[in-house]
Amino acid sequence: MSTLEAPERPHDDVGEHDDEHHDHPTDKKYVKIAVILAVLTAAEIATYPGEDLLGSFLIPILLVLMVIKFWYVAAFFMHLKFDARMFSWVFIAGLATAAIVYIIVLATFEFFV
Amino acid sequence: MAEVTIPAPVVTHDGHGHGTTTGVSNPKLGMWVFLGSECMLFGGLISTYLLYKDRIGDAGIAGRDVFDIPFTSVSSFVLLMSSLTMVLAVSAIGRGDHRRTRTWLLATAMLGGVFIAGQLYEFTAFYREGLGFTTSLFSSAFFTLTGFHGVHVTVGIVMLLSLYTLSLKGRLPTERAESVEIVGLYWHFVDIVWILIFTLVYLIP
Amino acid sequence: MAITEDRPLALPVGEPAPLTEPPLGVFRRPTTATGWRSWLTTVDHKRIGIMYGAAAIVFLIVGGVAGLFIRLQLAVPDGTVLSADMYNQVFTMHGTVMIFLVVMPIGAAFSNYLIPLQIGARDVAFPRLNAFSFWCFLGGGIFLNSSWFLGGAPDGGWFNYAPNSGVVFSPTNGIDFWNLGIIITGIASLVGAVNLITTVVNMRAPGMSLMKMPVFTWMALVTQFLLLFAVPVLTVAQVLLMMDRLYDANFFNVDAGADPLLWQHLFWIFGHPEVYLMILPAFGIVSEILPTFSRKPIFGYPFIVFSGVAIGFMGFGVWAHHMFATGMGPLSVAAFSLATMFIAVPTGVKILNWTATMWGGKLRFDTPMLFAIGLVTMFTIGGLSGVTHAIAPADTQQTDTYYIVAHFHYVLFGGAFFGFMGGFYFWWPKVFGHTLGERLGKWNFWTLLLGFNLTFGPMHILGLQGMSRRIYTYSDGYGFNLWNFVATIGAFIIAFSVLLFVINIIASHRRAKHEPPVGPDPWDARSLEWMLQSPTPAHNFDEVPTVTQLDEFWHRKYAEDDHGVVRRVATADEIAQPGDGTGVHLPSPSYWPLVTCIALPIIAWGLIFSLWLALIGGAVLVTGIYGWVMEPPDDLDGGGIGGHHHADDGPAERTEVPADADAPAVEQEVAPVG
């Protein structure tokens, strides 16, 4: 019975911890990631004045930056990287289903032509 | 027998004081499952927008005619930073530092509020420039997508302020830290959706 | 603000909880365990399952009567029973009610009742959310049907294609009722899906790995994932339509440049998984019944499971086969045609496995078995016509004819509904403590089989002869007269059969008063729910069993002897749990789910008629949510809100409650970690 044990910390989940050096990012690490996100956002915004220069590279670059930011928030701020795999699976299931289904719909509307 | 031993409140993996099959908590798993479904919801709204973004109708007002990219960039930055303050709130309550928790919760709510204020300002500006909800397919799709997102942010702010109030009243002990984490998950998701919207709606011409 | 709470937190089984000072007045949790009020505040998954089933049967009558009106109108050429406008409303409501208020809720009924029992749990992950799902569904169903009295029912077909469903072509409020009503029931489904997925993933008995779960639980799990990902898409479509209808948006206004196919795509991305989520629970039910009445394990358990999962996945990839005649373009048509042909494969695997289960078994043809075999045969017919639809050129002739009507009734009625009937007869003793009458049951089955085939069999012919769907009448001389008339006769035989079912329910209930209780295992079945007394005790398991294999209960009754012959080693009564778990802690009842749910139809009526009403509804909603969050905690119910709101439901007062130092340490039942 666990009644007399010390309350467990929420982030000490008995899930897999496959991270690098520590159990769980420190506040400093979070701030660092926020800085990275800010830099990425700045890069995104920088494409705006430089749209013509980038030409057909514009959209791929923006999409890549978008995905990287997405990943950083999901993996670190939402703690997916350190939590049980289960969470990642259900989220990715939703994400993948949405991406595939809606890309197909747009394709039937000849959106990518 | 009516006597019970009240256990010292323990929030273990399922938040109930009981073990779970996978070792992950029920409420947290529930939130992730819910977020999976939200992907389908926002995916539908985003696809509708993408389909209709060039159908600007008789009014002829396209996104680029009214978007103020610098302004929206600041908004995006604000929302992004609110994710940082959110995660700091989770970290603080995990340490048992309730004052900091409240500080960061309030900061997150306020940053969210700034974001919403920015959205409202933007929308009224668009309206004054001739882009209303029913002006064209593009406008309907734009306002529905960003409106839904805004409502989600607002609900998040309400939850954050509720947590703040509970904490102030001493009803958010360290044992209940997971609730902050779960609200955090919702908040980060809403931020992620904005990351998508910012690129797909504003930045991609 | 220290609030002391000195009432005990546990709700002991079998005794009324002592009333003490409520800490926050109205926020005291209800304590009634009996009477009609206890049903309003229950969070017990079994009671919720029963309520789902009961409500669904009432809606079955509603939808069935609508169906009878359709058949009456079409019995003879130039029928005069219904006007064209009325006919549109009747067939729209027939479909909408049957799908959203009958088949889906019956699936929910079985899932809610059985899943925790089959996995060895005490309740679902979020009991109050479970109650919320039910009341939400009921509210949505009542709201939808209120349209009959408030200006007319929706009339654009159950799929309400835009732009026909816009205000220009459908000016009455009917479709607004449809939109909002289905959004409300959609919320119920979504919340239920989050609940049941979390339950199955996280609350299994020790030793019950995923591949040891009963097939029904597996199929129900896949169904929940389908719901989880499909319902939001319908919500998007309906929100867009609502924006058009209520706020003059232009999403489906072709003059403004809209593409009507947008509605169809969004709808069918939901709509196709929808039909799989209607049939999968029935598939699960049949997979429980057939082995029991063949006295053989299910043939190829992994294949049955994986084919169910495959159906779930692939179900999201075939939706545009409902759109072959829309001019999508040959590439799309070909792709979806191919995908649709492929999806027949996993279903075929199931049919094969079910047949192989029966092969060589010691068959008993009790009523549940008859209905199960009915599903296998009738669904096969429906599936075969489905394969013909997959061939896009053939479908171009078949679409929008009665051939399609025949197909989907064979799979949904002959499939899902027959399966559900089998499930009712099978699990009735577990739920209510007595079996349904066997003689009436057989009459029920055979009349249903006869009536069903008489009604829908001829529709294949009518369809291929060119009778179009959704027409309120047809003229003499087309050659449609005979089979329409036959179909109408069949429909009334169906009605008679349903009447027999209701009579059986009542008669069996009366008879049960004079009979000994049926015991835990009347059918000599295989899964964990049969290990409990009938009717199931409120707390489910006295002691959570440890599971070592599939069909755990069966293997406790039977084992192979030295010669490899299967012999009974224990009777059900010896193994069954006596049902007297004392000190088992159950989630406390709550009335906040009900309060929250009342708000939703009020908001919906408000959006249609008066914004003030919507605001009042909004206030009730916010009150309901806060009441829910703030009500006193209950150990097992800490995660009551799940999803949106913080799982925390209240005060830290627990630390202030004086632990009764000299009370025996009543064992708080801990579901051991798997």
Side-chain angles (χ1 to χ4, degrees):
Chain A
M1 284 286 279
S2 55
T3 50
L4 299 177
E5 289 166 10
E8 291 197 30
R9 294 300 166 80
H11 39 260
D12 280 352
D13 276 325
V14 176
E16 292 106 72
H17 289 196
D18 63 330
D19 55 323
E20 320 84 22
H21 312 293
H22 37 62
D23 216 11
H24 168 77
T26 59
D27 282 10
K28 260 171 81 171
K29 184 96 204 269
Y30 283 134
V31 175
K32 269 212 276 188
I33 297 196
V35 169
I36 295 176
L37 285 169
V39 166
L40 290 168
T41 309
E44 283 179 329
I45 298 166
T47 66
Y48 177 57
E51 264 174 14
D52 302 315
L53 266 176
L54 292 167
S56 56
F57 285 108
L58 174 68
I59 293 181
I61 289 179
L62 283 173
L63 290 176
V64 166
L65 288 172
M66 178 182 87
V67 168
I68 297 178
K69 283 169 70 176
F70 188 120
W71 185 79
Y72 264 107
V73 174
F76 289 96
F77 284 174
M78 298 174 89
H79 215 247
L80 268 183
K81 195 159 192 270
F82 312 99
D83 270 340
R85 283 273 147 76
M86 172 68 55
F87 298 139
S88 299
W89 281 125
V90 289
F91 186 57
I92 289 172
L95 208 57
T97 308
I100 293 173
V101 160
Y102 290 119
I103 287 176
I104 294 177
V105 172
L106 288 172
T108 62
F109 281 114
E110 296 178 352
F111 180 77
F112 303 106
V113 166
Chain B
M1 303 287 272
E3 312 95 319
V4 288
T5 314
I6 313 301
V10 173
V11 174
T12 54
H13 307 294
D14 70 351
H16 303 165
H18 292 230
T20 61
T21 312
T22 58
V24 304
S25 101
N26 274 352
K28 202 164 153 184
L29 180 61
M31 175 54 86
W32 274 113
V33 172
F34 171 68
L35 293 181
S37 86
E38 288 268 84
C39 293
M40 290 300 278
L41 184 87
F42 277 105
L45 293 170
I46 291 174
S47 314
T48 302
Y49 172 81
L50 290 175
L51 187 66
Y52 281 164
K53 64 187 273 200
D54 295 321
R55 307 194 193 193
I56 56 181
D58 296 330
I61 304 177
R64 279 309 175 83
D65 298 330
V66 291
F67 289 161
D68 182 347
I69 303 290
F71 182 86
T72 316
S73 306
V74 173
S75 271
S76 307
F77 180 74
V78 163
L79 199 63
L80 214 48
M81 289 306 111
S82 75
S83 266
L84 171 64
T85 52
M86 182 75 238
V87 101
L88 291 174
V90 174
S91 171
I93 193 171
R95 286 193 307 269
D97 185 346
H98 293 279
R99 283 205 66 203
R100 284 263 159 76
T101 306
R102 284 193 289 276
T103 311
W104 292 127
L105 280 176
L106 201 59
T108 312
M110 281 168 47
L111 288 171
V114 169
F115 174 82
I116 293 291
Q119 291 286 85
L120 289 171
Y121 172 77
E122 252 195 325
F123 293 171
T124 44
F126 292 169
Y127 183 72
R128 266 182 271 119
E129 291 170 41
L131 193 74
F133 180 62
T134 61
T135 307
S136 63
L137 283 170
F138 153 70
S139 73
S140 298
F142 170 79
F143 283 114
T144 303
L145 172 61
T146 49
F148 251 78
H149 177 261
V151 168
H152 275 76
V153 174
T154 308
V155 170
I157 295 175
V158 169
M159 291 199 284
L160 288 165
L161 293 176
S162 304
L163 284 177
Y164 175 81
T165 313
L166 282 171
S167 176
L168 213 51
K169 297 194 159 158
R171 291 157 68 128
L172 194 63
T174 314
E175 295 75 37
R176 291 244 174 252
E178 199 182 54
S179 14
V180 181
E181 192 181 353
I182 289 174
V183 170
L185 288 177
Y186 174 85
W187 189 261
H188 296 306
F189 179 76
V190 165
D191 185 24
I192 282 183
V193 173
W194 184 258
I195 291 174
L196 297 177
I197 293 178
F198 185 51
T199 301
L200 294 172
V201 173
Y202 290 90
L203 293 179
I204 292 185
Chain C
M1 192 178 118
I3 302 174
T4 43
E5 199 190 317
D6 44 331
R7 70 175 179 91
L9 289 176
L11 197 68
V13 172
E15 287 180 29
L19 291 176
T20 55
E21 281 311 304
L24 290 165
V26 69
F27 293 136
R28 169 182 56 190
R29 295 190 78 140
T31 51
T32 45
T34 53
W36 63 270
R37 262 180 297 238
S38 70
W39 287 87
L40 292 181
T41 58
T42 186
V43 296
D44 180 350
H45 71 99
K46 300 185 292 297
R47 286 190 153 195
I48 291 171
I50 292 172
M51 290 196 286
Y52 263 115
I57 291 179
V58 171
F59 283 122
L60 173 70
I61 312 283
V62 171
V65 166
L68 286 177
F69 269 107
I70 294 175
R71 285 317 323 161
L72 276 174
Q73 167 64 12
L74 294 176
V76 294
D78 299 313
T80 50
V81 173
L82 298 171
S83 67
D85 176 52
M86 217 32 217
Y87 184 82
N88 288 348
Q89 294 178 44
V90 170
F91 82 71
T92 302
M93 287 299 271
H94 170 73
T96 307
V97 166
M98 286 304 198
I99 290 174
F100 292 101
L101 305 180
V102 179
V103 175
M104 288 171 77
I106 296 182
F110 283 114
S111 301
N112 263 292
Y113 196 97
L114 292 173
I115 287 181
L117 295 177
Q118 290 198 334
I119 62 173
R122 284 252 158 67
D123 207 312
V124 296
F126 309 114
R128 287 178 300 177
L129 220 53
N130 207 12
F132 172 83
S133 284
F134 169 72
W135 294 114
C136 202
F137 142 72
L138 188 64
I142 291 175
F143 173 79
L144 175 65
N145 281 285
S146 72
S147 61
W148 288 112
F149 311 109
L150 293 174
D155 56 358
W158 83 277
F159 42 78
N160 273 308
Y161 278 0
N164 182 54
S165 50
V167 276
V168 175
F169 300 105
S170 299
T172 71
N173 284 321
I175 293 181
D176 297 310
F177 277 95
W178 182 84
N179 253 343
L180 293 164
I182 301 299
I183 287 179
I184 294 175
T185 58
I187 293 173
S189 297
L190 196 62
V191 163
V194 172
N195 212 343
L196 290 176
I197 290 174
T198 309
T199 305
V200 173
V201 168
N202 244 5
M203 294 176 71
R204 285 169 276 138
M208 183 172 279
S209 66
L210 287 174
M211 292 307 273
K212 296 199 188 80
M213 296 195 307
V215 177
F216 174 78
T217 300
W218 257 115
M219 296 300 107
L221 178 67
V222 176
T223 303
Q224 303 313 311
F225 272 104
L226 286 172
L227 275 169
L228 189 73
F229 295 140
V231 168
V233 187
L234 177 64
T235 308
V236 169
Q238 291 180 308
V239 164
L240 299 180
L241 184 62
M242 200 169 76
M243 296 287 162
D244 268 24
R245 289 182 58 91
L246 295 179
Y247 305 117
D248 296 324
N250 291 297
F251 290 108
F252 306 111
N253 181 0
V254 179
D255 286 335
D259 199 326
L261 287 190
L262 177 65
W263 171 270
Q264 295 195 31
H265 277 291
L266 290 175
F267 183 84
W268 288 116
I269 292 174
F270 154 78
H272 196 81
E274 162 73 8
V275 309
Y276 289 119
L277 65 89
M278 285 197 280
I279 193 66
L280 281 174
F283 279 178
I285 291 174
V286 160
S287 306
E288 303 289 333
I289 294 178
L290 288 178
T292 302
F293 290 88
S294 313
R295 300 182 71 72
K296 272 181 76 196
I298 191 88
F299 185 90
Y301 170 88
F303 281 96
I304 295 250
V305 167
F306 289 133
S307 62
V309 174
I311 289 174
F313 271 120
M314 296 170 71
F316 271 101
V318 298
W319 76 86
H321 66 220
H322 300 269
M323 297 166 63
F324 281 153
T326 57
M328 285 192 295
L331 188 57
S332 305
V333 168
F336 281 101
S337 180
L338 215 61
T340 309
M341 289 186 225
F342 275 125
I343 203 170
V345 172
T347 313
V349 165
K350 286 185 184 296
I351 306 274
L352 213 79
N353 280 320
W354 288 328
T355 315
T357 303
M358 292 191 282
W359 185 269
K362 223 171 140 200
L363 305 178
R364 284 179 299 154
F365 293 100
D366 297 88
T367 305
M369 181 63 156
L370 292 174
F371 276 111
I373 299 175
L375 178 151
V376 176
T377 46
M378 296 300 106
F379 187 88
T380 303
I381 298 174
L384 288 174
S385 60
V387 171
T388 65
H389 304 326
I391 303 165
D395 184 66
T396 313
Q397 183 192 356
Q398 300 158 1
T399 195
D400 282 341
T401 68
Y402 264 80
Y403 187 80
I404 305 277
V405 177
H407 160 73
F408 66 69
H409 281 94
Y410 265 85
V411 291
L412 283 177
F413 191 147
F417 191 68
F418 269 66
F420 289 148
M421 290 298 287
F424 283 134
Y425 277 90
F426 187 52
W427 277 293
W428 204 269
K430 178 55 55 189
V431 176
F432 295 108
H434 60 268
T435 51
L436 286 171
E438 191 51 37
R439 224 171 68 100
L440 261 179
K442 291 204 160 76
W443 270 92
N444 190 181
F445 170 74
W446 289 109
T447 49
L448 196 64
L449 188 70
L450 175 69
F452 163 75
N453 278 291
L454 262 184
T455 312
F456 299 107
M459 289 187 187
H460 292 100
I461 302 171
L462 281 171
L464 290 177
Q465 286 179 334
M467 181 172 177
S468 133
R469 285 172 78 173
R470 310 177 213 122
I471 48 165
Y472 80 108
T473 191
Y474 53 93
S475 302
D476 211 354
Y478 277 106
F480 298 154
N481 302 12
L482 172 66
W483 293 124
N484 268 300
F485 191 73
V486 170
T488 303
I489 306 277
F492 278 89
I493 298 178
I494 293 176
F496 174 68
S497 182
V498 173
L499 183 65
L500 285 183
F501 179 57
V502 173
I503 292 175
N504 202 355
I505 293 176
I506 299 172
S508 308
H509 174 77
R510 293 224 177 107
R511 198 189 358 106
K513 299 198 173 123
H514 313 290
E515 284 182 349
V518 75
D521 186 22
W523 309 116
D524 198 17
R526 311 178 78 90
S527 42
L528 288 180
E529 71 270 25
W530 302 103
M531 214 164 97
L532 304 174
Q533 297 303 318
S534 306
T536 320
H539 60 284
N540 297 358
F541 297 90
D542 303 334
E543 216 180 277
V544 177
T546 303
V547 170
T548 53
Q549 54 203 315
L550 177 67
D551 290 338
E552 171 71 22
F553 177 52
W554 176 268
H555 291 284
R556 293 189 184 194
K557 290 186 292 184
Y558 293 90
E560 282 183 26
D561 65 11
D562 301 326
H563 307 284
V565 178
V566 175
R567 292 206 177 289
R568 184 183 270 275
V569 297
T571 65
D573 287 310
E574 288 164 3
I575 307 170
Q577 299 194 350
D580 61 357
T582 44
V584 172
H585 184 158
L586 291 179
S588 300
S590 168
Y591 48 79
W592 290 110
L594 181 58
V595 170
T596 312
C597 287
I598 288 176
L600 294 172
I602 295 177
I603 296 175
W605 278 309
L607 285 174
I608 294 178
F609 294 117
S610 153
L611 215 50
W612 286 114
L613 193 57
L615 287 172
I616 293 173
V620 175
L621 180 67
V622 171
T623 311
I625 293 175
Y626 272 99
W628 187 328
V629 171
M630 301 299 289
E631 73 176 336
D634 171 299
D635 259 349
L636 271 175
D637 204 23
I641 300 186
H644 265 114
H645 306 277
H646 39 92
D648 165 293
D649 42 56
E653 282 81 37
R654 289 203 290 170
T655 49
E656 295 167 316
V657 178
D660 200 347
D662 46 4
V666 171
E667 286 310 305
Q668 302 257 338
E669 273 297 325
V670 180
V673 178

